[in-house]
Amino acid sequence: MKSSAASTRSARIRTAILAAVLALVVGFAVANNVVVGVSEEATTLDPRHATDVSSAQVTHLVYANLLEWDENLNIAPVLATAIENPDDRTYVFRLRDDVYFHDGVKLTSADVKYTYDTMRDPDFGARNIGFYRDIVSIETPDDYTVVMTLEQPNAPFLYYLNVGIVPMHYAEEHGSDYIANNPIGAGAFVFEEWRTGEYIRLRANPDYFEGAPSIDEVRIRPIPDPITRTIELETGGVQAIDLIDDLDVERLEMDPDIDVMRRPGTGFDYIFLHTQRPPFDDVRVRQAIAYLVPRQAIVESLLYGVGLVAYTPIIPQSWAHEPDVEHFDFDVERARALLVDAGHASGFDIVIEVSSAPRRQMAEVLQQEFAKVGINVTIREREWGALYADMLEGLVDVFIGGWRAQTDPDRGLYRQFHSDNWIPAGANRQQYANERVDELLDAARTNPDFEVRRELYSEAQKIIVEEASYVYIFYPETVAAKSPRLQGFEYDGYFYFRDLRSATLN
Amino acid sequence: MPPCHVPGSADRDPNLLSYIVNRLLQMIPTLLGVSLLVFFLIWLIPGDPAQLLAPEEASAQDIEDIRRALGLDRPLVVQYGEWVWGVVQGDWGTSLYRRRAVLPELLDRLPATVELALASMLLSILLAVPAGVISAVRQNSWGDNVARVGSLLGLSMPNFWVGIMLILLVAYHLRWLPVSGRGGIEHMILPALTLGTSMMAEVMRVTRSTMLEVIRQDYIRTARAKGLRESTVVYKHGLRNAMISVATVVGLQLGYRLGGTVIVEQVFAYPGVGRLAYQSMLQRDIPMVMGTLLMFALLFLFINLIVDLIYGWLDPRISYA
């Protein structure tokens, strides 16, 4: 009797354990957990400081923004349901009234005001403070209306309103240093844990105002090495990665178990020519340089085809991109003729500065081509911090660099080509000046009508390209990859993993 | 204070404690010196933290505002003094880039670095020391040749290559171990092996060459003449005397490993302090650079102290007067 009772009990215990184990296994299998491998770890999760890609790709999941934009850079409201523009210096935003922060407190206009008031406060030390200087005041007539008044008309202004809204009550109590590690937002995912160097773990926000995500948990793992990152995807350790090596693109595109996502990036790589320094103070010399860049060959051989040949400073997917500009297609004879014309028949010596290995390779290609017309190139590779400091002093004549985040044409043109922005006032480091360009850029900056702006930018681009203070090489592509199990997910060139809000895992 | 040899005094030191306290006190001026040097060197090299923080479109005014908000516009002496005063109180400052406190971040990452360094040290002691001994005792045998070729390979193969090859073979093709990241023991094997290869090679070579020297000494001949067993001669009389050099090399290598292992961290996505230190340097993130280097210096000093204490244990003639 006794022994049979004991055996029944132990059988029951066994069944219970088995059931528990089963439940656990099934539970794991059912849970929609996604692991994402990223090339760099986030630095901070306070969105007001998170201007680097690695941080922004996390904050865009945790926080909600006033606005976002789509693939073609058309503004799409998120927290704002309507944007009114009563005059060209005033923006009125009507907010949704059904948005709550992750701690249950309602998001109101006061939080929006607080977020942007801190960003434009010099004592706060936001890296992007320069984008908010035009704001004169932010007012909140009621809980769901925000009125921003600008000092002068500023058409691209809306493109800087993509910062996650922080909860005022929480931020004022704890301060930015604390938020950096313990963010609370109103976004699709709730922050759970950050194990520095290992991962950031987020879970779905069931009360997200656009509907709870279908993915239960997202783990964002920094995997800095591109080979390791790719192998993690291939072996199923992660379901998506943010960046793959150009060299791997073709191989992975053939792999049926991997979806490669390619799209134009947000910038361009170019050769910088200081327009106030001989010999580059002569536009013919700059144009000769432009004719000597084998763009297609560089894209094919150095980028393994992952990139688009570039002719203008406006990215190709932008509404302001003007394809009909002087192309300066590779032509040694025309370059030679221009140099002869400029009195440099026997060439000259230049130093090309670079700060990374891929750009040194580009410089080596140019070195060979330039030699054909007697231009002797010395390549100088320096760490970016040192090179950049010299550049801001106006001490660099030629370098190969890249601009990124050129989402609005104003960012790409006004700050780099308007003569008001000569260093140190702005980013016109090549000290380019053209009165007509200044007029066009001023007009485009203050006119809210996109059609008018498009025409103004078209003319400006033609002049800027023609005068070749920059020589454009290529537009890099953003290349990410994912497992086919992750559906409804496209890597977004501007908001990175934002599709995880609506993606599903099969 | 270097350990001094006192022939004939075999008694255990009563002065050990005061020796340790003394050494600990000596660390203070050393650390001050290191931090002073590092601080002014960062400011000497070209590149400005405020410039690097601001976006490239920034105007001079933007850069100035950022500089002021972060307190980088104050005289260097003031900034350094404030940093030292903070460290004394346990506040190692706030990272310029990460906008988070430096010390907690370092302490979060330190265990990963320490466990990896210790694992690779363990590997090299367990594998390389015996290999070195065998290699020396059976000089020019096939075993010696294998060990020597192995150590040459270990020294010559670049770390990143070894790491990627291990990942390809063990994690990708065989799928025995996870590719990367930190977790259980299984996550540590490949990084520790990768990190251990050059350390093993180094330790094996030193063990071998020291042993070759030792086994030619008179007292070894005496031991053999007494009729002691060969294993006693080799391990008790030979190896014990060779261990001083081995301990020195292991200590130094461990110090380097604790100073971060950028490449292994990169290849295996392992969360150590090495990559953090490297990136902070590129970004001119002064508080973070100061923090990581202060920690490296501290660890190095401690390891040196421990190695010196181990000398005394290995060789009773060494005293800490």
Side-chain angles (χ1 to χ4, degrees):
Chain A
M1 261 325 260
K2 202 179 171 190
S3 80
S4 99
S7 77
T8 329
R9 198 183 317 133
S10 75
R12 259 191 223 133
I13 292 171
R14 243 176 295 153
T15 322
I17 291 174
L18 197 70
V21 169
L22 259 176
L24 218 81
V25 169
V26 171
F28 265 117
V30 167
N32 275 312
N33 295 350
V34 171
V35 186
V36 181
V38 296
S39 47
E40 286 288 346
E41 184 175 29
T43 55
T44 167
L45 297 181
D46 182 335
R48 297 166 294 174
H49 288 308
T51 53
D52 52 320
V53 173
S54 47
S55 304
Q57 59 192 1
V58 184
T59 58
H60 285 313
L61 295 175
V62 175
Y63 294 88
N65 314 337
L66 264 188
L67 312 165
E68 289 184 356
W69 43 86
D70 66 13
E71 226 173 292
N72 296 315
L73 297 165
N74 299 306
I75 296 282
V78 181
L79 289 175
T81 51
I83 308 163
E84 292 149 27
N85 213 185
D87 63 73
D88 58 9
R89 298 195 302 118
T90 311
Y91 288 88
V92 180
F93 302 91
R94 309 273 174 211
L95 304 183
R96 295 178 70 124
D97 60 0
D98 57 348
V99 180
Y100 293 86
F101 287 111
H102 300 150
D103 60 358
V105 176
K106 206 159 195 181
L107 185 152
T108 67
S109 53
D111 300 301
V112 176
K113 175 178 159 61
Y114 175 78
T115 301
Y116 285 100
D117 272 344
T118 44
M119 288 211 61
R120 66 199 188 91
D121 174 5
D123 290 335
F124 182 72
R127 293 156 71 170
N128 276 348
I129 183 168
F131 299 145
Y132 306 99
R133 279 194 200 284
D134 272 352
I135 302 178
V136 177
S137 72
I138 304 177
E139 270 147 57
T140 53
D142 65 59
D143 272 0
Y144 304 105
T145 307
V146 178
V147 182
M148 295 194 189
T149 311
L150 307 183
E151 192 170 350
Q152 55 196 359
N154 184 337
F157 173 67
L158 292 179
Y159 284 95
Y160 302 115
L161 299 183
N162 63 333
V163 177
I165 300 302
V166 295
M168 180 168 83
H169 63 279
Y170 184 71
E172 285 207 314
E173 186 185 338
H174 295 288
S176 179
D177 287 7
Y178 183 80
I179 296 183
N181 278 321
N182 305 279
I184 286 185
F189 289 91
V190 181
F191 172 82
E192 285 275 290
E193 162 187 41
W194 184 351
R195 297 193 54 153
T196 170
E198 293 185 56
Y199 57 79
I200 290 174
R201 193 157 56 85
L202 312 174
R203 79 177 147 75
N205 172 10
D207 304 318
Y208 183 50
F209 56 91
E210 286 184 341
S214 131
I215 290 165
D216 298 319
E217 184 184 292
V218 178
R219 207 177 269 239
I220 296 151
R221 272 191 60 196
I223 309 175
D225 191 86
I227 300 175
T228 311
R229 203 159 57 238
T230 308
I231 292 180
E232 281 284 12
L233 180 66
E234 292 181 276
T235 54
V238 303
Q239 283 73 53
I241 55 178
D242 70 340
L243 205 63
I244 56 184
D245 248 8
D246 291 345
L247 185 59
D248 272 332
V249 171
E250 205 182 322
R251 180 176 68 85
L252 293 177
E253 278 181 333
M254 313 272 261
D255 188 335
D257 295 325
I258 295 203
D259 296 340
V260 175
M261 300 169 279
R262 288 171 72 161
R263 56 179 51 204
T266 59
F268 56 88
D269 275 33
Y270 69 107
I271 307 167
F272 164 101
L273 301 172
H274 199 298
T275 64
Q276 304 299 313
R277 292 282 175 71
F280 306 109
D281 52 348
D282 186 329
V283 67
R284 288 168 297 185
V285 174
R286 302 200 298 266
Q287 288 170 339
I289 297 281
Y291 277 118
L292 289 170
V293 179
R295 299 175 181 78
Q296 193 63 45
I298 287 177
V299 168
E300 271 162 28
S301 62
L302 295 183
L303 309 180
Y304 303 95
V306 186
L308 305 162
V309 166
Y311 303 106
T312 103
I314 303 290
I315 50 179
Q317 69 272 38
S318 165
W319 49 268
H321 176 75
E322 175 53 70
D324 186 22
V325 293
E326 177 63 59
H327 278 199
F328 294 111
D329 285 321
F330 186 69
D331 191 335
V332 177
E333 285 322 308
R334 293 189 73 165
R336 201 192 312 272
L338 281 162
L339 287 176
V340 170
D341 223 29
H344 291 290
S346 53
F348 45 81
D349 295 346
I350 59 169
V351 176
I352 298 185
E353 303 228 37
V354 292
S355 70
S356 72
R359 292 193 180 134
R360 192 192 57 237
Q361 290 181 333
M362 273 180 244
E364 283 162 1
V365 170
L366 298 179
Q367 191 174 34
Q368 288 188 7
E369 302 300 345
F370 289 10
K372 291 176 182 165
V373 293
I375 302 177
N376 294 314
V377 173
T378 309
I379 298 167
R380 183 173 183 205
E381 184 172 353
R382 283 196 280 170
E383 177 256 353
W384 173 243
L387 171 58
Y388 189 49
D390 271 1
M391 199 151 62
L392 294 188
E393 298 277 321
L395 300 175
V396 174
D397 288 357
V398 187
F399 98 106
I400 301 180
W403 279 98
R404 300 291 180 266
Q406 304 299 303
T407 41
D408 184 89
D410 181 71
R411 203 163 168 176
L413 296 180
Y414 178 77
R415 288 169 190 272
Q416 294 166 49
F417 297 98
H418 196 292
S419 65
D420 281 355
N421 284 327
W422 275 28
I423 47 171
N428 187 344
R429 307 179 294 222
Q430 73 278 28
Q431 303 195 322
Y432 170 73
N434 179 304
E435 277 179 27
R436 179 66 188 148
V437 167
D438 287 356
E439 274 170 38
L440 290 164
L441 295 181
D442 283 333
R445 157 160 261 242
T446 48
N447 197 316
D449 185 334
F450 275 53
E451 263 318 306
V452 177
R453 290 182 73 202
R454 190 206 307 271
E455 277 164 32
L456 295 167
Y457 283 133
S458 163
E459 192 187 337
Q461 271 173 90
K462 286 178 183 168
I463 303 171
I464 287 169
V465 171
E466 173 82 32
E467 297 199 323
S469 62
Y470 281 6
V471 173
Y472 312 92
I473 309 175
F474 66 91
Y475 304 112
E477 283 181 65
T478 305
V479 188
K482 70 173 180 74
S483 150
R485 289 177 57 215
L486 186 59
Q487 292 190 331
F489 176 81
E490 278 291 326
Y491 186 75
D492 183 303
Y494 319 115
F495 296 94
Y496 320 108
F497 295 122
R498 83 168 143 186
D499 279 0
L500 287 178
R501 301 167 190 167
S502 54
T504 54
L505 191 68
N506 278 5
Chain B
M1 190 190 300
C4 49
H5 295 256
V6 184
S9 88
D11 55 320
R12 283 287 166 201
D13 285 292
N15 298 329
L16 189 61
L17 191 70
S18 75
Y19 172 77
I20 294 176
V21 170
N22 228 323
R23 284 283 299 264
L24 290 176
L25 286 177
Q26 281 171 19
M27 284 183 187
I28 296 171
T30 313
L31 289 172
L32 261 173
V34 167
S35 68
L36 193 72
L37 199 69
V38 170
F39 185 80
F40 287 97
L41 275 177
I42 304 175
W43 281 106
L44 262 182
I45 54 174
D48 172 60
Q51 278 176 6
L52 289 169
L53 270 166
E56 270 198 63
E57 290 99 333
S59 66
Q61 179 68 50
D62 300 345
I63 295 172
E64 245 4 90
D65 280 348
I66 291 169
R67 199 191 312 280
R68 212 183 38 249
L70 295 174
L72 298 170
D73 56 337
R74 296 166 306 158
L76 292 190
V77 178
V78 174
Q79 291 184 45
Y80 178 71
E82 209 175 79
W83 180 81
V84 172
W85 182 233
V87 168
V88 169
Q89 295 168 304
D91 171 12
W92 289 29
T94 302
S95 156
L96 304 181
Y97 254 77
R98 314 166 83 80
R99 306 289 174 127
R100 297 147 66 192
V102 167
L103 188 58
E105 168 123 33
L106 286 179
L107 291 180
D108 275 352
R109 285 181 185 239
L110 192 60
T113 302
V114 171
E115 72 189 23
L116 202 56
L118 288 179
S120 68
M121 182 185 83
L122 208 66
L123 269 178
S124 51
I125 290 176
L126 290 182
L127 297 177
V129 171
V133 172
I134 291 167
S135 197
V137 173
R138 307 206 190 294
Q139 197 185 0
N140 298 327
S141 68
W142 66 267
D144 181 26
N145 289 336
V146 168
R148 278 157 69 192
V149 169
S151 84
L152 194 64
L153 275 177
L155 278 180
S156 337
M157 290 186 300
N159 255 338
F160 76 92
W161 185 82
V162 174
I164 287 171
M165 286 303 129
L166 283 175
I167 288 181
L168 273 179
L169 182 70
V170 182
Y172 183 71
H173 288 295
L174 300 172
R175 309 244 167 159
W176 286 349
L177 291 171
V179 178
S180 69
R182 181 169 178 232
I185 284 277
E186 72 275 14
H187 282 90
M188 218 157 65
I189 298 174
L190 295 185
L193 263 177
T194 309
L195 196 59
T197 44
S198 61
M199 189 165 177
M200 278 191 272
E202 192 74 42
V203 172
M204 183 268 165
R205 287 161 73 95
V206 170
T207 312
R208 179 177 181 275
S209 65
T210 324
M211 274 302 277
L212 279 177
E213 231 171 82
V214 168
I215 54 180
R216 285 180 175 70
Q217 299 288 322
D218 287 346
Y219 59 83
I220 295 290
R221 196 174 314 134
T222 310
R224 287 216 175 96
K226 280 199 300 189
L228 291 179
R229 275 188 316 168
E230 183 62 15
S231 65
T232 314
V233 175
V234 171
Y235 288 103
K236 199 161 170 214
H237 295 264
L239 184 59
R240 179 106 196 224
N241 282 295
M243 277 315 273
I244 294 258
S245 318
V246 176
T248 309
V249 169
V250 170
L252 273 177
Q253 292 275 334
L254 185 65
Y256 296 145
R257 297 301 184 273
L258 286 176
T261 46
V262 182
I263 289 165
V264 171
E265 285 171 25
Q266 158 109 7
V267 171
F268 291 98
Y270 209 80
V273 285
R275 247 182 82 77
L276 183 68
Y278 171 73
Q279 283 182 320
S280 308
M281 196 66 229
L282 288 184
Q283 294 162 339
R284 307 289 191 276
D285 189 340
I286 293 164
M288 197 50 112
V289 173
M290 296 294 289
T292 45
L293 290 179
L294 184 69
M295 202 183 66
F296 295 164
L298 254 172
L299 287 170
F300 224 103
L301 289 174
F302 269 107
I303 289 171
N304 276 348
L305 175 59
I306 290 168
V307 169
D308 282 348
L309 293 177
I310 287 176
Y311 285 160
W313 174 69
L314 287 171
D315 185 347
R317 287 171 305 179
I318 294 171
S319 80
Y320 300 99

